[in-house]
Amino acid sequence: MSTTQTDTRVVSPLLRIAPTGMYARRARMLVERSVLVSRKMWLIILSGFFEPLFYLLAFQVGFGKLVETVQGPGGQTMSYVAFVAPALLASSAMNGAVYDSTFNIFFKMRYQRLYEGVLATPLGPLDIAMGEISWALVRGVLYAVAFFAVVSGMGLVTSPWALLMVPVAILIAFAFAAIGMAATTWIRSTTDFGLIQLVLIPMFLFSTTFFPLSVFPGAVQVIIQIFPLYHGVELMRGLATGVLDPSMLGHLAYLVVLAVVGMLVAARRLRVLLLR
Amino acid sequence: MPQVSAPTTQATGRVVRSPHAAWLRVEGHWQWYRRHWHSTLFSSIAQPILFLVAMGMGFGSQVEPSEATRNLPYLVYLAPAMLVVGALQNAVGESSYPVLSGFKWQKDYWAVTATPITPGQLLAGQQIWIALVIGFNGCAFVLIATLLGAVQSPGILLSLLAMVLTGMACSAPVVALAATVTNDGNAFNGIFRFVVMPMTLFSGTFFPVSQLPEWAQPVVWLSPLWHGTELSRAAAFGGAEFGPVFGHVAYLVGLFALGIWLARWRFRRRLVV
Amino acid sequence: MTTVGDGVLVQANGLVKRFGEFTAVGGIDVAVRKGEAFGFLGPNGAGKSSTMRMVACVSPRTEGELSVLGMDPDRDGPRIRARLGVVPQLDNLDTELTVRQNLQVYGRYFGLSRATVRAKATELMEFAQLSERADDEVEPLSGGMKRRLTIARSLVNDPELLLLDEPTTGLDPQARHLLWDKLYRLKQQGVTLIITTHFMDEAEQLCDRLVVMDHSRIVAEGAPSALIKQYSTREVLELRFNPGEQQDALDNGVADLVERIEVLPDRLLLYTENGESTLETAHAKGIRPLSSLVRRSTLEDVFLRLTGRSLVD
């Protein structure tokens, strides 16, 4: 049998862009593993829900008293808490996804050497990337639904469009999980996580989460609009208030592209790292 | 071929005394820090500054000076409190995973206590190091905050003392916890999310505690961050009274002492068996 | 172009692995037949693990030909891995799962049904003598238990070819013998084994055939007994002296007694067909060692002769 024969088998489009051996269509097996593990970590999973809730509470009783109203989408005046709530949903989707796809993945890759074991089976790097990102999304969905329930219970959303906030939260989580996982493959040691924080915290603080874009000087406004989270926040706020405009399609496209690129880069980098 | 000679090895047999031994440990930390300082720069200095800019200048642009902000611009009102928040976060960060790693991953604590240095001296070295880091980061914060126009009086230099004290009061109990846990440090996630986070939001840093519901106020008294913030603002803005200042300091010193006592017990338990 | 003969599971021709400038495997030819236990011996850094990773289809080759189970790892990686069992050098068990869950989850990666993996896990825990620890976490298990679990895990898909990278490094003698026992049983069941090791006794115990690797190349190949015959004498005479007297013995012409002598800091090794008669001749020449020992040549003598006594890394 010749070892250099060309491959003439028909492959699916996803496999055509990724080299063979990348994907065995068993990503769900990794999700199964995560579900098993999560039974022991329910407290941590539960805690992810409290973080945005603490913030919301602080805005309700504290910040909201210092600043009663701000200018919302479409120039209308709205209560400060209602202004912040959708942004908190967006940023908690981001934070949860990044945490899952950076710290957790790094530990599994470097210290636990989990993926070495997985790659000795028919599974490939794309299975790993998709499996782990899917799990981050499952958690993201849980958080988003719970937070949405609280926000609507407090009467902070005023439009039926707000129901779409949940799928948008999932998209945000997807995009950040994919990018986070890709970034993690470049991390050499735990001290490099500082760099991830270096990106994440300014994004969390300045993506019009806590105050409108107009507060920034003109040049800085342009930079803010490059932040992926800014687009997530804009989408959320528009949906929460029911003020829709065509620019939202642009925000949507930005996040979708980010998600797809992130996942492909992550799978490729995993191959470089683990299959060398 | 080398000739076999009679044994000539002779151990120094030297045992270093207590304060010096702890200081040797600090030197060890310094060697690490010299190689890796840039990686800690963000979490230790940039992060509190970013919060100050975002909340003080960004959110603060929407806040009118009022009684709630002691009639000061929000940025100025926030600066001494953010200084103490930085101490809290640095303290917990430096006392959690790095200490657990000494026992579990890096295992350098075992290497150190195999020398004449005792667990107690090791702990003292760790605490002195954390205090130095917190103090240094605090100075950097004050410098940058001054450049940003967030400082109006030299009293903030006194706030640095409050800051280091608060940091140590928060550090020691976490060191004790880190010396106790054996798993991958999941407990720290709980500390970050259920203690540090709510403490940061509800200890009077961003808005007066009086805005909280009545039942919540006694809970706030438990927060070392609230005591530290009160001290820090009193130092920066003046108007300190002896009674409250004494109470705050006593609480923080007490918490620190309790933490050290627990940590010493846990260090011995784990390293000397 | 070489064709894979009947019953050859792994065939490598001119196999090369380079990491940048560094050559880990510098062109080796190997054929592993069905049902045999095949060993890769060599000091640390000789290229054993890199070879194993290429055979396990987790490391693409740089040059040369490689066929595993009649397929090309570059193209059919997942299909080959589906029929392999891999025991890595360092255990990579899932520390977040229990013993039983480790086996079940791993079986799922091979696409086995839940019912199958449940039954399989019970059977394998029995095999690895871990049934009593079934629902314990992996972390507190002893080194030997972890190793047995890793081996049990590698069997979850009933592999035709089992790759073991230094399976007993770091284990105590009891645990090693237990593992050898398990591996021997597998071999009897018809599983083909490829083992890397730097324990000579392990290679003598387990391997039908082996190659010795040094500096990324194969320096010898054959059955353990054949290698001893080829590269060493039947027996070795070890002589120890009082400090300083060893040199006198050398000056006295002890080296002339045998074809090959090795001078170590603390003793002389004389390679000979008959140790007792060599010792008598030495006595006759007036050589008075402090102590003497006659022993059979082992694979270790072969190994040290081929790869030298100095450290490689």
Side-chain angles (χ1 to χ4, degrees):
Chain A
M1 179 184 181
S2 158
T3 48
T4 50
Q5 180 189 326
T6 45
D7 192 354
T8 50
R9 284 172 303 159
V10 183
V11 288
S12 73
L14 188 56
L15 285 170
R16 210 171 285 149
I17 40 172
T20 54
M22 287 283 276
Y23 183 48
R25 295 167 193 238
R26 285 195 198 135
R28 75 192 136 87
M29 301 304 180
L30 270 139
V31 179
E32 269 182 33
R33 177 201 169 269
S34 298
V35 172
L36 263 184
V37 172
S38 72
R39 285 185 199 163
K40 275 182 305 192
M41 313 205 316
W42 60 270
L43 191 68
I44 293 179
I45 293 179
L46 192 72
S47 75
F49 169 68
F50 280 94
E51 185 158 322
L53 212 59
F54 282 138
Y55 268 101
L56 198 61
L57 209 64
F59 281 95
Q60 180 82 352
V61 302
F63 295 94
K65 297 274 161 51
L66 296 174
V67 177
E68 307 253 313
T69 57
V70 278
Q71 208 179 43
Q76 54 164 321
T77 302
M78 61 191 295
S79 89
Y80 184 64
V81 186
F83 174 84
V84 170
L88 285 178
L89 179 50
S91 58
S92 75
M94 169 184 87
N95 283 332
V98 169
Y99 181 82
D100 266 343
S101 63
T102 55
F103 297 88
N104 284 354
I105 301 274
F106 181 77
F107 271 93
K108 286 183 202 164
M109 196 159 66
R110 205 48 79 81
Y111 294 108
Q112 228 175 310
R113 290 193 307 280
L114 178 74
Y115 303 136
E116 268 177 38
V118 175
L119 287 173
T121 75
L123 270 68
L126 194 59
D127 294 280
I128 295 179
M130 284 174 55
E132 296 291 45
I133 289 172
S134 305
W135 171 240
L137 290 188
V138 170
R139 279 173 69 168
V141 172
L142 293 177
Y143 293 155
V145 169
F147 189 78
F148 180 75
V150 173
V151 170
S152 11
M154 289 168 69
L156 295 176
V157 294
T158 48
S159 152
W161 287 102
L163 276 175
L164 287 176
M165 288 166 79
V166 171
V168 168
I170 297 163
L171 176 61
I172 295 171
F174 188 5
F176 279 100
I179 290 287
M181 189 159 178
T184 303
T185 61
W186 270 283
I187 280 181
R188 292 151 300 176
S189 75
T190 45
T191 46
D192 284 350
F193 281 119
L195 295 172
I196 288 181
Q197 296 285 335
L198 183 65
V199 177
L200 217 57
I201 293 203
M203 192 134 71
F204 168 62
L205 290 173
F206 297 115
S207 295
T208 73
T209 324
F210 301 113
F211 45 90
L213 191 64
S214 57
V215 171
F216 294 103
V220 182
Q221 289 190 11
V222 179
I223 298 171
I224 299 300
Q225 291 178 31
I226 298 170
F227 289 173
L229 183 60
Y230 166 77
H231 298 275
V233 170
E234 285 296 298
L235 272 176
M236 287 289 193
R237 211 166 262 152
L239 291 169
T241 51
V243 181
L244 307 183
D245 73 87
S247 72
M248 291 172 79
L249 290 175
H251 299 314
L252 205 60
Y254 187 107
L255 292 171
V256 170
V257 169
L258 203 65
V260 173
V261 169
M263 181 134 89
L264 290 177
V265 172
R268 262 172 197 261
R269 284 283 304 165
L270 279 182
R271 184 171 61 102
V272 171
L273 279 185
L274 297 169
L275 301 178
R276 55 196 294 262
Chain B
M1 203 198 308
Q3 286 297 311
V4 183
S5 58
T8 55
T9 51
Q10 176 70 60
T12 63
R14 193 175 299 144
V15 176
V16 184
R17 284 202 298 182
S18 232
H20 187 202
W23 186 252
L24 288 176
R25 186 64 195 144
V26 173
E27 276 178 23
H29 284 293
W30 168 245
Q31 293 300 338
W32 182 91
Y33 189 76
R34 268 175 32 164
R35 285 169 56 90
H36 298 282
W37 59 272
H38 49 275
S39 63
T40 62
L41 207 58
F42 175 74
S43 62
S44 55
I45 297 173
Q47 197 166 318
I49 288 290
L50 281 170
F51 269 88
L52 183 70
V53 170
M55 301 319 284
M57 298 168 94
F59 171 78
S61 70
Q62 314 282 305
V63 181
E64 290 293 319
S66 68
E67 208 180 319
T69 66
R70 300 193 182 198
N71 295 314
L72 291 164
Y74 192 67
L75 179 65
V76 175
Y77 169 76
L78 195 58
M82 258 344 277
L83 177 70
V84 188
V85 168
L88 165 71
Q89 304 207 319
N90 276 199
V92 176
E94 291 282 332
S95 315
S96 51
Y97 287 104
V99 173
L100 178 59
S101 174
F103 286 111
K104 191 179 162 83
W105 295 302
Q106 212 132 339
K107 296 189 191 296
D108 49 332
Y109 285 4
W110 305 95
V112 171
T113 47
T115 73
I117 292 182
T118 66
Q121 293 163 340
L122 172 71
L123 171 64
Q126 186 76 44
Q127 289 292 342
I128 294 170
W129 172 250
I130 293 174
L132 287 173
V133 167
I134 290 174
F136 172 76
N137 293 338
C139 293
F141 179 91
V142 167
L143 188 70
I144 299 171
T146 308
L147 294 176
L148 290 172
V151 174
Q152 286 183 342
S153 89
I156 195 133
L157 292 175
L158 212 55
S159 302
L160 280 169
L161 289 179
M163 179 229 190
V164 174
L165 179 60
T166 313
M168 296 319 289
C170 299
S171 160
V174 178
V175 168
L177 177 72
T180 307
V181 297
T182 51
N183 62 12
D184 288 346
N186 288 337
F188 300 140
N189 284 320
I191 295 282
F192 282 120
R193 285 190 160 156
F194 288 112
V195 181
V196 174
M197 246 280 298
M199 200 147 78
T200 306
L201 288 172
F202 300 106
S203 293
T205 312
F206 299 102
F207 50 87
V209 172
S210 56
Q211 287 183 11
L212 294 174
E214 201 124 328
W215 61 263
Q217 314 232 349
V219 182
V220 174
W221 297 341
L222 291 174
S223 158
L225 185 61
W226 176 69
H227 294 282
T229 304
E230 289 294 302
L231 282 176
S232 180
R233 283 216 173 101
F237 305 140
E241 287 167 49
F242 177 77
V245 167
F246 179 81
H248 296 314
V249 171
Y251 181 83
L252 292 172
V253 169
L255 188 60
F256 174 66
L258 176 70
I260 285 286
W261 181 74
L262 285 172
R264 208 174 122 97
W265 169 53
R266 294 314 309 179
F267 264 59
R268 288 215 174 135
R269 252 316 201 23
R270 196 147 172 184
L271 291 167
V272 187
V273 275
Chain C
M1 192 133 302
T2 338
T3 50
V4 175
D6 272 345
V8 174
L9 294 192
V10 178
Q11 174 90 52
N13 292 85
L15 185 60
V16 174
K17 179 71 193 184
R18 274 192 286 268
F19 297 101
E21 295 285 288
F22 175 73
T23 303
V25 180
I28 59 168
D29 303 318
V30 171
V32 180
R33 299 187 207 106
K34 192 168 170 50
E36 73 177 341
F38 189 89
F40 281 94
L41 265 67
N44 292 332
K48 305 180 305 271
S49 292
S50 295
T51 307
M52 287 293 255
R53 284 174 51 80
M54 285 191 277
V55 175
C57 312
V58 290
S59 171
R61 62 183 181 270
T62 315
E63 272 170 36
E65 289 168 25
L66 178 64
S67 137
V68 181
L69 301 169
M71 290 177 277
D72 176 356
D74 280 356
R75 216 185 51 210
D76 295 310
R79 276 167 63 197
I80 299 172
R81 291 199 301 266
R83 292 160 61 186
L84 292 185
V86 177
V87 177
Q89 195 171 358
L90 299 166
D91 290 320
N92 53 19
L93 294 164
D94 195 330
T95 48
E96 291 180 277
L97 300 176
T98 63
V99 169
R100 184 197 306 277
Q101 286 173 335
N102 256 283
L103 296 169
Q104 291 182 348
V105 167
Y106 210 72
R108 293 287 287 156
Y109 296 148
F110 287 94
L112 304 175
S113 74
R114 285 196 183 79
T116 312
V117 293
R118 259 200 302 276
K120 202 78 202 166
T122 309
E123 175 196 324
L124 287 170
M125 285 189 294
E126 196 72 33
F127 168 82
Q129 290 168 258
L130 287 168
S131 304
E132 283 174 16
R133 307 298 295 264
D135 297 310
D136 288 3
E137 300 251 342
V138 165
E139 191 67 33
L141 297 185
S142 73
M145 288 177 172
K146 283 186 188 158
R147 214 59 189 144
R148 285 192 328 257
L149 179 56
T150 307
I151 291 178
R153 192 185 67 171
S154 72
L155 299 173
V156 76
N157 59 328
D158 293 311
E160 295 158 53
L161 175 60
L162 189 57
L163 308 176
L164 302 123
D165 199 353
E166 296 187 11
T168 63
T169 298
L171 299 187
D172 62 28
Q174 284 83 357
R176 288 178 75 198
H177 281 273
L178 186 61
L179 269 183
W180 288 347
D181 190 46
K182 300 288 172 206
L183 294 177
Y184 191 71
R185 264 175 59 194
L186 288 171
K187 199 182 134 192
Q188 280 186 318
Q189 289 164 19
V191 180
T192 307
L193 307 176
I194 300 183
I195 301 158
T196 77
T197 182
H198 42 228
F199 294 124
M200 299 308 127
D201 51 345
E202 181 161 288
E204 282 191 79
Q205 284 269 349
L206 291 175
C207 297
D208 301 315
R209 239 156 36 85
L210 52 87
V211 292
V212 180
M213 285 187 81
D214 192 28
H215 293 107
S216 78
R217 288 177 186 282
I218 290 176
V219 291
E221 176 173 359
S225 56
L227 286 172
I228 294 171
K229 203 168 274 174
Q230 189 180 351
Y231 292 100
S232 192
T233 50
R234 203 172 70 89
E235 289 182 335
V236 182
L237 171 62
E238 298 197 2
L239 302 177
R240 280 177 198 270
F241 295 89
N242 280 320
E245 286 176 14
Q246 182 164 303
Q247 192 56 44
D248 300 342
L250 285 167
D251 295 340
N252 235 331
V254 71
D256 304 333
L257 297 178
V258 286
E259 261 177 52
R260 194 159 73 87
I261 183 169
E262 230 179 317
V263 182
L264 303 184
D266 62 332
R267 69 207 140 117
L268 300 176
L269 300 185
L270 285 76
Y271 292 90
T272 171
E273 285 308 309
N274 188 332
E276 288 299 338
S277 76
T278 310
L279 182 61
E280 273 169 37
T281 325
H283 273 293
K285 281 193 110 178
I287 291 163
R288 295 280 175 270
L290 197 63
S291 69
S292 64
L293 168 75
V294 176
R295 60 169 175 84
R296 295 187 76 87
S297 267
T298 63
L299 212 45
E300 188 135 355
D301 298 306
V302 176
F303 185 81
L304 288 173
R305 174 158 189 204
L306 290 170
T307 61
R309 280 187 189 270
S310 53
L311 284 176
V312 203
D313 39 36

